[in-house]
Amino acid sequence: MIGKWQAMVIDCEDTDQLATFYEQLLGMVRVQQDGDGWISIGDAPDRPAIAFQRVDPYVAPEWPGHLHPAQAHVDVRVEDLDLAEEQVLKLGAVSMNFGGRNHRVYLDPQKHPFCLVAW
């Protein structure tokens, strides 16, 4: 092993907005924040996190498509897809009306794709 996973970093325009969205979606808390547009959320400061980094200019990914590719996305495992869909839409997600019996695709408030999955 060379190292340990620290964070998955997502470029965005508004770090506070996106961190708040994923805090509520995943039940995490802010574990790091600085004045330069960097926020990390997780279970605890010493565990892997999801980090949000402000970039300017920000170019949102497009899904589907590859002009501005998604490059990465988060899968969120849920017990009930219908209930979870209702909850993420209230948080500001947008349904892409794509998926199947076990997964559905959404965009977060800054247009990053993510999936709700149930296995």
Side-chain angles (χ1 to χ4, degrees):
M1 177 176 68
I2 294 173
K4 295 181 180 181
W5 175 41
Q6 173 62 34
M8 180 180 83
V9 181
I10 299 174
D11 290 348
C12 62
E13 184 174 52
D14 183 335
T15 56
D16 183 62
Q17 178 195 39
L18 211 53
T20 298
F21 175 84
Y22 281 101
E23 283 175 309
Q24 293 175 13
L25 175 63
L26 301 172
M28 294 180 166
V29 297
R30 292 186 189 207
V31 295
Q32 180 185 15
Q33 184 168 354
D34 69 21
D36 294 325
W38 179 278
I39 299 173
S40 295
I41 64 171
D43 297 327
D46 62 339
R47 299 195 50 193
I50 299 174
F52 306 93
Q53 168 180 271
R54 183 174 39 239
V55 295
D56 185 26
Y58 170 68
V59 177
E62 294 178 1
W63 188 94
H66 296 287
L67 183 58
H68 302 287
Q71 300 175 354
H73 71 273
V74 176
D75 279 357
V76 179
R77 189 171 182 171
V78 299
E79 294 293 321
D80 182 322
L81 280 173
D82 293 330
L83 177 60
E85 177 174 70
E86 179 182 324
Q87 293 169 328
V88 299
L89 294 176
K90 285 181 183 176
L91 290 177
V94 175
S95 173
M96 293 305 296
N97 298 313
F98 184 86
R101 187 172 56 89
N102 295 325
H103 76 287
R104 297 180 189 164
V105 181
Y106 304 86
L107 299 179
D108 70 24
Q110 292 186 36
K111 300 186 180 180
H112 300 101
F114 71 96
C115 295
L116 297 179
V117 299
W119 307 113

